Amino acid sequence: TQLLEQSPQFLSIQEGENLTVYCNSSSVFSSLQWYRQEPGEGPVLLVTVVTGGEVKKLKRLTFQFGDARKDSSLHITAAQPGDTGLYLCAGLRVTGANNLFFGTGTRLTVIP
Amino acid sequence: NAGVMQNPRHLVRRRGQEARLRCSPMKGHSHVYWYRQLPEEGLKFMVYLQKENIIDESGMPKERFSAEFPKEGPSILRIQQVVRGDSAAYFCASSPWIAGRLYNEQFFGPGTRLTVL
């Protein structure tokens, strides 16, 4: 069983379109992180959200943590080909364990 | 400020050989995590270490796998008698302990891609 489910699994859009990626769980997390991973490389941290309802913006990327701290979303405005990659959400559970639970991943392709 | 470093980046072993994967955390980071990414699967936690201590090894296979983080030098993930199913990308991450608190963020290295023939 997967603790964090991401949707969609694959997404192919035209340059300039907007998109939203979802990360859902039935568990509560003390914090949730979003990473982007390029082929052959390690995940690169984009943002950490900690407070329920928190919204963080990173240029054209907007991250939201659900009020109950069970889910999160990533919204990209006016997608560009450089946004292409694998987007991963990862959460730290409130039980105190320090290991990250990773989502299933969303593979985004932005077509020029 | 150098990031997390892992070597080798690619490692090929024959069945039955040993694989040693090395990880140097970011400067000032005292906590190291190892994750495994099997082909077409997500990242799965293996082990969490501090200097000279294993804090959590709940994700480590019971046999053939071991990890250490000595007082001096890099963290080592060791796989004995490798089998084809061990072929995967192994990632190391580190996080800092500042002012008595472990920070949430984990910063990942580029990974070691292990291929078992």
Side-chain angles (χ1 to χ4, degrees):
Chain A
T1 52
Q2 193 73 31
L3 198 62
L4 279 165
E5 295 285 347
Q6 283 185 241
S7 61
Q9 190 176 356
F10 298 94
L11 187 56
S12 183
I13 61 170
Q14 294 290 136
E15 182 176 358
E17 291 183 351
N18 301 333
L19 67 113
T20 302
V21 176
Y22 299 94
C23 175
N24 295 302
S25 178
S26 56
S27 296
V28 179
F29 294 95
S30 60
S31 69
L32 200 135
Q33 302 172 24
W34 284 91
Y35 292 84
R36 191 172 104 178
Q37 186 178 18
E38 304 287 347
E41 297 295 330
V44 175
L45 180 65
L46 297 174
V47 79
T48 299
V49 285
V50 178
T51 307
E54 183 177 2
V55 176
K56 280 192 175 178
K57 287 183 183 278
L58 189 66
K59 296 184 182 177
R60 293 176 295 100
L61 278 60
T62 302
F63 304 86
Q64 185 160 8
F65 202 11
D67 291 342
R69 291 185 290 142
K70 292 182 179 181
D71 53 83
S72 180
S73 64
L74 157 61
H75 182 79
I76 301 179
T77 305
Q80 298 176 0
D83 295 328
T84 294
L86 177 66
Y87 289 82
L88 298 163
C89 65
L92 275 174
R93 295 182 75 176
V94 295
T95 52
N98 287 314
N99 53 290
L100 287 170
F101 287 87
F102 275 85
T104 46
T106 295
R107 193 165 295 280
L108 171 66
T109 303
V110 181
I111 303 164
Chain B
N1 190 12
V4 177
M5 299 176 71
Q6 290 188 249
N7 68 82
R9 293 290 306 272
H10 299 274
L11 182 61
V12 179
R13 285 287 178 265
R14 296 191 180 280
R15 280 180 298 169
Q17 290 184 322
E18 179 179 286
R20 279 185 182 236
L21 288 61
R22 294 174 191 78
C23 167
S24 296
M26 286 180 75
K27 189 176 179 181
H29 287 197
S30 56
H31 296 253
V32 163
Y33 311 80
W34 285 93
Y35 293 82
R36 179 166 66 175
Q37 189 172 38
L38 291 165
E40 305 306 320
E41 290 189 23
L43 282 125
K44 296 284 195 302
F45 166 77
M46 299 182 75
V47 63
Y48 162 40
L49 309 104
Q50 269 181 294
K51 288 278 187 184
E52 300 184 282
N53 274 316
I54 296 175
I55 307 299
D56 181 355
E57 56 183 348
S58 58
M60 286 274 270
K62 293 287 185 281
E63 296 176 352
R64 303 187 296 108
F65 284 72
S66 62
E68 62 175 9
F69 189 15
K71 189 176 180 181
E72 302 290 337
S75 175
I76 307 282
L77 179 67
R78 183 180 175 209
I79 312 172
Q80 294 178 288
Q81 299 170 2
V82 295
V83 299
R84 288 215 174 103
D86 297 333
S87 294
Y90 292 83
F91 292 97
C92 168
S94 71
S95 55
W97 183 276
I98 301 173
R101 186 170 76 88
L102 179 65
Y103 272 60
N104 289 324
E105 287 85 358
Q106 294 183 20
F107 298 89
F108 282 78
T112 294
R113 274 136 193 92
L114 172 66
T115 302
V116 179
L117 301 177

